[in-house]
Amino acid sequence: MNPALDFCLRTDPRVPEIDSVARWWPRHRQAYARWRAPIERSIAGGFDADRVAWAFASGYQGALRALAPDLPDDVMAAMCVTEETGNRPRDIRTRIDASGDAIVVTGAKRWTTLGPESTLLLVAGTSAAGAPGERASIRIVRVPAAAPGVRIELMPETRFVPEVPHARVHLDAVTLPASALMPG
């Protein structure tokens, strides 16, 4: 049996009320500290939730760590893909341009879960083609939410998980080291 599932079956399921991201995040990190695998962390985080919103948020953080296993445990991250035109590769207009040893990110994201509370944004953007005849590709760049040029605009609550905040993210020539570009 999965150790996290076994833990959940043997532990008192009553948890105190968690009424905000500020109260959820420390509990989430405490639940996560016991486990290493993203699936175990997601199970434990969901088990330690008093409502769907925090189970969803814990699963979301687990999914991001499955995507980027080296994300620090103390960082609340948010994935930024969807734009005004959609979320398919052909809809992505955000640009990631190389400039010497740096990259410059410019664009806007329409829907970012946990965006207003996150300290790190994983931003999808179009990277220019490298060789003649090569197509541009979608890449992901790590953007500190407090970086100059980042503006986060809180969105209204959603009917599904209203406790989990969402945001529009605006990136105005955000300059980052080339190491911020994720591999692949």
Side-chain angles (χ1 to χ4, degrees):
M1 177 182 286
N2 179 293
L5 185 56
D6 184 57
F7 170 79
C8 294
L9 292 172
R10 298 176 188 277
T11 303
D12 185 348
R14 293 174 290 194
V15 296
E17 181 178 348
I18 305 167
D19 59 1
S20 66
V21 173
R23 289 194 57 191
W24 162 75
W25 181 243
R27 288 190 61 82
H28 165 81
R29 287 189 54 213
Q30 183 179 22
Y32 257 34
R34 181 180 178 121
W35 313 103
R36 297 302 330 145
I39 187 67
E40 291 174 338
R41 290 176 156 196
S42 296
I43 290 169
F47 178 78
D48 196 47
D50 74 327
R51 61 193 77 190
V52 172
W54 310 129
F56 173 85
S58 290
Y60 181 68
Q61 291 300 305
L64 293 178
R65 279 155 178 80
L67 173 70
D70 61 335
L71 285 177
D73 290 343
D74 63 342
V75 168
M76 189 184 310
M79 188 73 175
C80 306
V81 176
T82 305
E83 299 194 6
E84 290 299 328
T85 53
N87 61 6
R88 297 170 298 195
R90 69 176 176 241
D91 298 328
I92 305 300
R93 303 287 183 262
T94 297
R95 297 279 309 156
I96 300 172
D97 295 307
S99 177
D101 289 339
I103 56 174
V104 179
V105 185
T106 302
K109 298 301 178 178
R110 180 176 65 86
W111 186 264
T112 302
T113 300
L114 286 172
E117 301 291 335
S118 295
T119 56
L120 182 66
L121 307 171
L122 303 177
V123 177
T126 303
S127 179
E134 186 179 275
R135 292 174 45 182
S137 62
I138 302 297
R139 300 291 304 270
I140 306 291
V141 64
R142 296 168 190 247
V143 178
V150 174
R151 183 170 54 89
I152 298 174
E153 176 187 342
L154 183 64
M155 293 175 62
E157 289 181 353
T158 61
R159 286 195 291 157
F160 173 70
V161 297
E163 302 89 347
V164 176
H166 294 80
R168 293 179 184 271
V169 175
H170 304 274
L171 305 132
D172 184 20
V174 178
T175 302
L176 302 163
S179 61
L181 193 61
M182 292 177 64

